[in-house]
Amino acid sequence: MLTITDADPNQLPEKTEPDAASPRVLSILSLVLERLVNRNEMLNLSSGGGRLGKNLEVFHGIRPPAITIPKYLDRIYKYTNCSPACFVVGYIYIDRLVHRHPGSLVVSLNVHRLLVTSIMLAAKILDDEHYNNAFYARVGGVTNAELNRLEVEFLFMLDFDLTVTSRVFESYCLYLEREMIMWNGTKLKIESGNRANTIEDIAEISVEDMESFSSSLSNGGLA
């Protein structure tokens, strides 16, 4: 298993400022999701460590990934060429899933796998061109077989309800915009993306071992 450490020459330098090329929706989604995870972790702790998120256990990793939610979303955006709207719709799917399965908590063990699965599904619905599961698996730090399984599980848990009306989309955008204004006084703009990568550009690494961005490697391998 390839592990990126601080001394790894293939690791991109740590950023002290947000990437100007990253859409603002990534920042606000990161903020909202981090708050949600922290709240649910506290709820789980107060319940004596009960398995409140057992309905989502298929999305659980063996340990919380080292990579943060903001860096994970940035990684997906950087490599997959999906439009920023996919991140909003992916968040809608996660929210819909949780409401359909009460007691299913989004926590540090499952949030990354939920994100890569939901964003990939959103890209398939929204974008005219999108990468396949193998590419998303490599970006997300899971195997292709696992992502295929997560996709099927996610679809059945949603009863294959992937329709998002313009009214629902706008309501979530307004919610995120309010959060953005509260956070830094700026308005949210959902932009479209226009980038392309090949699967060889993605460093192959487990999501649990991600600590930061991986660089573009032509032969990222497993140890």
Side-chain angles (χ1 to χ4, degrees):
M1 189 68 69
L2 175 64
T3 303
I4 296 179
T5 64
D6 291 338
D8 195 321
N10 295 319
Q11 180 181 351
L12 294 182
E14 190 73 16
K15 299 177 183 178
T16 57
E17 297 293 336
D19 187 348
S22 296
R24 289 175 178 169
V25 66
L26 270 64
S27 298
I28 190 58
L29 277 178
S30 298
L31 177 69
V32 170
L33 288 167
E34 286 179 329
R35 287 177 177 174
L36 176 64
V37 168
N38 289 337
R39 185 191 69 188
N40 288 343
E41 296 282 1
M42 292 299 296
L43 180 61
N44 197 33
L45 185 62
S46 66
S47 69
R51 302 185 344 176
L52 296 177
K54 64 180 181 180
N55 288 344
L56 298 178
E57 281 186 348
V58 67
F59 295 94
H60 283 195
I62 57 176
R63 63 182 184 274
I67 189 170
T68 64
I69 293 173
K71 288 181 179 178
Y72 195 63
L73 290 177
D74 277 341
R75 177 179 170 89
I76 293 173
Y77 176 75
K78 175 182 179 181
Y79 288 118
T80 65
N81 196 31
C82 68
S83 59
C86 293
F87 291 86
V88 177
V89 172
Y91 175 71
I92 293 173
Y93 289 161
I94 293 174
D95 194 48
R96 185 177 292 176
L97 185 150
V98 170
H99 279 86
R100 287 185 180 221
H101 301 274
S104 298
L105 299 183
V106 178
V107 293
S108 57
L109 286 177
N110 60 34
V111 63
H112 295 76
R113 285 173 170 83
L114 286 168
L115 283 170
V116 71
T117 306
S118 63
I119 293 168
M120 180 184 71
L121 285 170
K124 291 181 178 182
I125 296 296
L126 294 178
D127 293 346
D128 293 334
E129 296 181 359
H130 56 78
Y131 289 109
N132 60 21
N133 287 27
F135 192 91
Y136 270 90
R138 190 168 180 128
V139 171
V142 295
T143 66
N144 190 21
E146 181 180 8
L147 187 57
N148 290 343
R149 184 173 68 253
L150 295 178
E151 180 184 30
V152 171
E153 186 71 21
F154 200 99
L155 288 169
F156 273 100
M157 292 184 75
L158 281 181
D159 294 326
F160 289 82
D161 181 13
L162 300 181
T163 300
V164 176
T165 65
S166 58
R167 179 173 296 181
V168 169
F169 182 82
E170 289 170 4
S171 69
Y172 275 85
C173 287
L174 287 173
Y175 164 72
L176 293 172
E177 183 174 325
R178 287 195 298 270
E179 292 292 319
M180 176 69 80
I181 292 173
M182 290 176 60
W183 182 34
N184 64 4
T186 61
K187 289 189 176 182
L188 177 66
K189 181 181 179 182
I190 308 299
E191 303 158 325
S192 61
N194 185 23
R195 293 160 292 108
N197 291 288
T198 65
I199 195 167
E200 288 79 11
D201 293 328
I202 313 303
E204 195 167 359
I205 181 172
S206 166
V207 63
E208 276 77 29
D209 293 323
M210 290 181 179
E211 294 181 2
S212 185
F213 285 111
S214 55
S215 66
S216 299
L217 298 178
S218 60
N219 58 349
L222 296 175

